[in-house]
Amino acid sequence: TFMGADDLAFSQGLLQHVSNPLYYCLCINANIYIEKTIPPINLLRKLNCNLIIGTDSYASNHQLNILEEIKTIQQESDYSISLIEILQWATINGATALRLQHKIGSFETGKRPGIVLIENLDDLQTTSTSSARRIL
């Protein structure tokens, strides 16, 4: 939550020496719970960092629910982030970070993605009543 541009430049410089890409996991509800602040999402996006979404644990979060993390990202950020972009963080980016992109994370022949329906959206923005249910 407290990484600045210099820290991110340093971490991206490290990538020149490793073969695996670096991913930044956003657990925004845990950040708010512990530190009462949110990560520098706009800076991470501006620097084209690989983002994924997590939930941390019950020790620092009231629930382990990716949709609630998505809602908070859309509600708490002072800039507009499309649901389409955030869903990429939650799906293919997460699968790629775990090196499972050949099995899950997107709809492609030979993959076995789960399908989750997000209901009660308002023009591709989550609302307090948005909910998710697995349909496959």
Side-chain angles (χ1 to χ4, degrees):
T1 54
F2 297 102
M3 283 186 97
D6 290 342
D7 298 318
L8 289 167
F10 175 78
S11 66
Q12 289 191 328
L14 293 175
L15 295 178
Q16 298 170 1
H17 308 289
V18 297
S19 59
N20 297 320
L22 183 61
Y23 288 84
Y24 297 86
C25 186
L26 303 175
C27 302
I28 193 167
N29 287 325
N31 298 140
I32 292 169
Y33 182 90
I34 296 169
E35 300 163 335
K36 312 262 187 289
T37 190
I38 63 173
I41 299 171
N42 203 34
L43 178 60
L44 292 163
R45 291 172 67 224
K46 181 179 176 183
L47 296 175
N48 295 314
C49 295
N50 296 311
L51 298 177
I52 62 175
I53 298 176
T55 60
D56 205 9
S57 73
Y58 281 123
S60 60
N61 202 334
H62 299 291
Q63 57 203 342
L64 304 181
N65 184 323
I66 295 296
L67 180 59
E68 291 303 318
E69 299 293 320
I70 292 169
K71 286 180 184 182
T72 303
I73 289 168
Q74 284 197 312
Q75 293 166 2
E76 295 293 325
S77 52
D78 58 349
Y79 32 83
S80 176
I81 305 174
S82 75
L83 183 59
I84 293 168
E85 181 179 353
I86 296 171
L87 288 175
Q88 289 174 341
W89 303 347
T91 57
I92 191 62
N93 288 14
T96 304
L98 295 171
R99 298 183 186 174
L100 295 172
Q101 71 276 13
H102 61 287
K103 294 182 180 180
I104 60 173
S106 62
F107 297 105
E108 295 178 55
T109 302
K111 289 188 176 184
R112 297 188 54 180
I115 300 174
V116 175
L117 175 65
I118 301 174
E119 299 177 297
N120 299 319
L121 296 174
D122 181 13
D123 196 28
L124 288 182
Q125 292 289 315
T126 57
T127 67
S128 61
T129 61
S130 292
S131 61
R133 62 182 170 95
R134 184 180 176 109
I135 57 175
L136 180 65

